[in-house]
Amino acid sequence: DALENKGQVVVAVIDTGVQTDHEDLKNSIWTNPGETAGDGVDNDKNGFVDDVHGWNFYSGKGELYQGSEDNHGTHSAGTIAAGKNGVGITGICDPAYVKIMPLKVLGTKDGVGTPENVAKAIRYAEDNGASICNLSLTSPANDQALYCAIRDSSMLFVAAAGNDGKDIDRTPVYPASYELDNVISAANISCGGELHESSNYGVGSVDLAAPGSYILSTTPGNTYSYMTGTSMAAPMVTGAAAMVWSHFD
């Protein structure tokens, strides 16, 4: 397993959970080489029992997928690295070179969570070999612990700018509005190349825009669905960054 993971870029999808056995994602998921599945033991002694493919910080367990509430994270994962396998879609990255580390921090059908758990997930991602974090989430709260977790990290963070149609230089949302060199904030452009009416923007806060309108990707139950928002634009940027990273790794 250790040899299998050598040279791969690991992307942490810090979001809702991900259907790790989705027909289009099952070969795209990171595997912890130091952990033995289902034995109830923390084999690699990192403080997480049976974290074979990541961790559920929302519920505090290794179970990464809890059904339809994990729609959002599954969709993000597919955009980044769904397999070119004759079914469904093809993600930006080849799963041979880029693996998804699902870290669930959002739960319920409304996708709620806490900055504290996002910060914990960031630290886990870095400790377990991730290079890039996709953060398709926003909060109006400027949480100091989350800021410090990102500031002190060597990873790249791609953050959704949010979907309020607002100038976030004036009305900040986080983590997109953090003035940090390792944060790329992504707005949503539609297929015609114009900023989508729902997308946040900001000369200082938003770095670039990417396709985020009517994006087809993987969803729970081996299905595929269209979604629109900066949450769909961020994985486009993450995927492109991971492809570049894998080339130079």
Side-chain angles (χ1 to χ4, degrees):
D1 281 345
L3 286 174
E4 181 182 311
N5 287 333
K6 185 173 174 60
Q8 290 175 343
V9 175
V10 178
V11 175
V13 172
I14 300 177
D15 206 300
T16 70
V18 172
Q19 185 191 345
T20 55
D21 63 351
H22 192 290
E23 62 179 3
D24 222 359
L25 290 174
K26 60 188 178 183
N27 295 319
S28 306
I29 305 299
W30 169 79
T31 297
N32 182 348
E35 201 72 16
T36 301
D39 67 352
V41 176
D42 180 13
N43 304 100
D44 60 1
K45 297 180 172 55
N46 68 349
F48 300 91
V49 175
D50 287 341
D51 58 324
V52 178
H53 298 297
W55 192 254
N56 179 342
F57 288 90
Y58 184 80
S59 302
K61 55 187 176 182
E63 182 186 353
L64 301 169
Y65 176 62
Q66 295 176 294
S68 61
E69 74 170 55
D70 295 323
N71 207 28
H72 198 265
T74 302
H75 199 274
S76 293
T79 296
I80 297 165
K84 187 177 182 180
N85 51 12
V87 299
I89 64 157
T90 301
I92 292 172
C93 299
D94 185 336
Y97 303 101
V98 175
K99 295 294 186 186
I100 300 294
M101 176 191 287
L103 298 175
K104 181 175 168 68
V105 297
L106 304 176
T108 78
K109 62 182 177 58
D110 297 318
V112 297
T114 65
E116 178 186 16
N117 280 339
V118 177
K120 288 179 181 177
I122 288 169
R123 287 191 287 272
Y124 177 97
E126 186 144 32
D127 289 346
N128 290 278
S131 300
I132 304 172
C133 290
N134 189 84
L135 297 171
S136 287
L137 46 83
T138 62
S139 170
N142 183 0
D143 184 82
Q144 190 64 23
L146 177 57
Y147 174 81
C148 291
I150 295 174
R151 181 197 65 192
D152 298 339
S153 174
S154 63
M155 296 185 293
L156 174 68
F157 297 85
V158 181
N163 307 311
D164 304 309
K166 291 182 178 179
D167 181 348
I168 59 172
D169 289 348
R170 296 175 178 271
T171 312
V173 296
Y174 302 97
S177 293
Y178 288 142
E179 294 182 21
L180 294 169
D181 289 343
N182 59 340
V183 175
I184 298 174
S185 174
N188 165 19
I189 51 172
S190 60
C191 55
E194 68 277 3
L195 190 72
H196 191 276
E197 62 182 5
S198 69
S199 179
N200 287 346
Y201 54 92
V203 173
S205 298
V206 178
D207 297 296
L208 48 75
S213 304
Y214 208 53
I215 303 300
L216 181 64
S217 190
T218 46
T219 42
N222 290 329
T223 61
Y224 303 85
S225 302
Y226 291 95
M227 294 189 192
T228 294
T230 60
S231 285
M232 286 69 247
M236 293 283 184
V237 179
T238 296
M243 186 181 289
V244 172
W245 202 302
S246 70
H247 177 75
F248 290 102
D249 193 34

